[in-house]
Amino acid sequence: MNEKYVMVTFQAGHDYWKRALKGFEDAADALNVSIEYRGAAQYDVNEQITVLEQVIAKKPDGIAISAIDPDKITTTINKAVDAGIPVVLFDSGAPSSKAQTFIGTNNYNAGVMGAEEMAALLNNKGKVGIVTLPNQLNHQERLKGFQETIEKDYPGIEVVEVKDGKGSEPVSRKAANEMLAQYPDLNGIFATEAIGGIGVGSAVSSAKGKNKVKIVSFDTDKQTLDLIKDGTISATLAQGTWKMGYWSLQFLFHLNHKLTADSKLGNISAPPLPANVDTGVSVITKENVGDFYGQ
Amino acid sequence: MNEKYVMVTFQAGHDYWKRALKGFEDAADALNVSIEYRGAAQYDVNEQITVLEQVIAKKPDGIAISAIDPDKITTTINKAVDAGIPVVLFDSGAPSSKAQTFIGTNNYNAGVMGAEEMAALLNNKGKVGIVTLPNQLNHQERLKGFQETIEKDYPGIEVVEVKDGKGSEPVSRKAANEMLAQYPDLNGIFATEAIGGIGVGSAVSSAKGKNKVKIVSFDTDKQTLDLIKDGTISATLAQGTWKMGYWSLQFLFHLNHKLTADSKLGNISAPPLPANVDTGVSVITKENVGDFYGQ
C-alpha cells in the first residue's frame, strides 16, 4: 500500500524512543504501510511545532505524536485534525486537543504497581520513603497511586517521608541519606524516576550495604538495569514503550480506513477509538532483567 | 478462517450488551473469523462459571468475558489462560486474574467528564449535589473523579451534598427532594447511574420545573434519552460499549496470532497487550440525542 504514517517525538535519536519506534515499525510491517520518524533535535516545543507543521504539509495518512508541551502544541495538533489527518498522542498527551486517543503509561496505575511490589518485598510491613519530582504531573500521579494503595491495602506499611530528588543523582542521594539518618529503621524507598533511583541506590549501598533497604525504581536505562543485576535496586517498573508505538499505528490505520463502525455517529457523539490506552508497566527484578538488556 | 471467538456476559439477551456484541461482530467481519455469544441466563456468578467451563471445554481461539464477581470467577479465568486460550476482560474486570487486558470505562475519567460537563452547564459557578451508590466501586470512582475535578479546576462550584440513591428511582427522587429543600439555591445534580438520574429528574421537574436545576446523568437507556429530549436531563454520559466489543476481538486476535513482537519476552516480563483500555464516555445532550436512539 502507498500509505505513509509519521511518528513525531521529543528528540530524534534519543534512546527512550527506540522501543516506541520499533513498535511503530512492527505494526507497519503487519499492515504493509510505510512510516517515517521525525523528532525535534532538542527538547524545545517551538522546534516540535515546526516539525509538526512540516509533517502536516506533506499530508500523511496519520501522525503519532508525543507532546513536549501540551498547551503550546495543541493548536498545531488541531490544525492536523481539522485537515482530516488522523492523529493519536502517545507517551505524553495533549488532553485539550482534538486528537481522540492517548496511548501511554497510566502513571497512577504505575504507582499502584510500585506499591504492590514494595509491599511484596517488605512482606507487607515496614517504613517507606519516597523520592520524587513533586512539580511534575506524571510524578504526582505515580506518588498518588503509591500512597493511596499503601493506605488502602497495606495497613502494616507506613510512608514516613516524601522528598524532592529534582531528577538529579546527587540531590536524590542526599535526600535518601537524610531519610536513612532520620529513620534508622527505614525498610524501603520508592523512586518515581530512574536518575533518582540511581542516587538512592548509591546512598543505601554506602550507608547500609546493598539490599538492606529495598529500592523500587522506574524505567530501564542501562545503569538501572546494572543496579538490578547487582542487587542494589530490588525492582524497577518498565514502561510499555514498544506497545505505545505498535498501538499508535494500529489506531491510526483504523482511523484512516474508517474501520470502526461507530464512526457513522460522527466524531463528537462517539469517537471511534478508545479514549485512553494504558500500556501498563512490567516489574523487572534480578530474575528477568536479562530480557531487558539491549532492548 | 476457521477460527471461533466467544463473548461471555452477565445475562444473555440483556439490552446493555447488544452494542458490545455488535462491536464484537463488526470486528469479526473485519478479521474474517467466527464468533459465538454466551451469557448466564441470570445475574449469577455460579451460572457464569458453568458457562465459562463449557466454553473452555470447546477450546475456542479466544474468550472475551465481563465478570459478574471478579473474586469468584478468577480461578476459572486462570484455567482458560493456563490452557493457552487468549482471554480479555471487558466492561467489568477481574484484576487479580491472569488475563492481561481490561477494556472498559475508566470510571474516574467518566467522573471527570461529568464534572466538566456540569461546570459548562453552570458557567463554572454554583452549588451541586450528587446522587450515587456509595458501596459500589465503579460509582465510588465516578464520584471521586467528579469531586476531585470540581475541587481542582472549578473553585466557583461547591459540592454541597452526596446522597445514596440505592439505584432506586423512588429513593433517588427522595434524595433529590431533600437536597432541593435543604439547598433552595441548588444549581445542579450529578447522578452516577441511570435509574438515579430518572428519579432526580422527576424530583426536579415536580419541585422546580424542567431544567431549573441542571442534571447530568449516566448511560443511555430509553427513559434517560427521552428525558434528555424533553429537557429534564441536560446531559448524560454514554459508555463506549461498541468499542468494548470491537477492541476485545481485535486484542484476542492479536494474542491468538502472536502478532505482537514483544511477546518474545514472555508474558511475565512484557505482556503484549495494553493493560487497561479506557473506552471513554461521550456526552449526550439534546443536540445529538437522536443519534443514540435505537442503537
Side-chain angles (χ1 to χ4, degrees), chain B residues 130-134 161-165 174-176 178-179 182:
Chain B
I130 299 171
V131 174
T132 185
L133 295 175
E161 184 85 80
V162 179
K163 280 188 179 281
D164 186 355
K174 187 165 170 283
E178 287 167 5
M179 285 198 265
Q182 196 180 346

Side-chain angles (χ1 to χ4, degrees), chain A residues 19 22 26 30 106 108-109 144 148 238 242-243 246-247 250-251 254 259-266 268-284 288 291-292 295, chain B residues 19 22 26 30 106 108-109 144 148 238 242-243 246-247 250-251 254 259-266 268-284 288 291-292 295:
Chain A
R19 290 296 297 157
K22 183 67 170 59
D26 286 346
N106 178 314
Y108 182 89
N109 290 350
K144 192 177 172 201
E148 290 190 354
W242 180 90
K243 281 180 270 191
Y246 184 88
W247 292 103
Q250 285 279 356
F251 289 151
H254 267 78
L259 291 178
T260 55
D262 251 19
S263 59
K264 76 176 157 50
L265 293 178
I268 291 161
S269 53
L273 294 183
N276 284 286
V277 176
D278 173 16
T279 39
V281 290
S282 310
V283 178
I284 302 177
N288 60 357
D291 291 346
F292 280 81
Q295 285 282 321
Chain B
R19 290 296 298 156
K22 183 66 170 57
D26 286 346
N106 178 314
Y108 182 89
N109 291 351
K144 193 177 170 199
E148 290 190 355
W242 180 90
K243 282 180 269 190
Y246 184 88
W247 292 103
Q250 284 280 355
F251 289 150
H254 268 78
L259 291 179
T260 56
D262 250 21
S263 59
K264 75 177 159 50
L265 292 177
I268 292 159
S269 53
L273 294 184
N276 285 287
V277 176
D278 171 16
T279 38
V281 291
S282 310
V283 178
I284 301 178
N288 60 356
D291 292 347
F292 280 81
Q295 284 283 319

Side-chain angles (χ1 to χ4, degrees), chain B residues 85-247:
Chain B
I85 301 170
V87 181
V88 297
L89 273 295
F90 74 99
D91 188 66
S92 176
S96 307
S97 79
K98 293 182 183 175
Q100 294 162 5
T101 294
F102 169 68
I103 303 153
T105 304
N106 178 314
N107 285 294
Y108 182 89
N109 291 351
V112 172
M113 289 275 283
E116 288 171 353
E117 184 61 22
M118 181 62 85
L121 288 164
L122 301 186
N123 293 315
N124 302 337
K125 56 180 185 288
K127 290 184 180 166
V128 173
I130 299 171
V131 174
T132 185
L133 295 175
N135 299 319
Q136 215 174 297
L137 182 61
N138 50 348
H139 293 276
Q140 289 165 5
E141 288 171 352
R142 290 171 194 174
L143 179 66
K144 193 177 170 199
F146 188 92
Q147 286 182 308
E148 290 190 355
T149 303
I150 294 293
E151 268 171 42
K152 189 164 59 72
D153 296 339
Y154 302 104
I157 298 179
E158 190 192 354
V159 176
V160 293
E161 184 85 80
V162 179
K163 280 188 179 281
D164 186 355
K166 297 191 193 294
S168 144
E169 193 183 325
V171 174
S172 300
R173 192 190 313 132
K174 187 165 170 283
N177 275 324
E178 287 167 5
M179 285 198 265
L180 293 168
Q182 196 180 346
Y183 305 95
D185 55 346
L186 195 73
N187 305 98
I189 300 178
F190 176 46
T192 68
E193 53 83 33
I195 308 295
I198 293 162
V200 170
S202 157
V204 168
S205 291
S206 308
K208 296 267 184 175
K210 266 175 211 169
N211 205 22
K212 295 294 179 194
V213 172
K214 306 292 180 190
I215 302 168
V216 176
S217 189
F218 219 93
D219 283 331
T220 58
D221 55 285
K222 182 162 182 311
Q223 221 178 330
T224 300
L225 296 180
D226 288 347
L227 293 174
I228 293 271
K229 209 173 166 188
D230 87 353
T232 303
I233 295 178
S234 300
T236 193
L237 301 172
Q239 300 190 66
T241 329
W242 180 90
K243 282 180 269 190
M244 296 180 201
Y246 184 88
W247 292 103

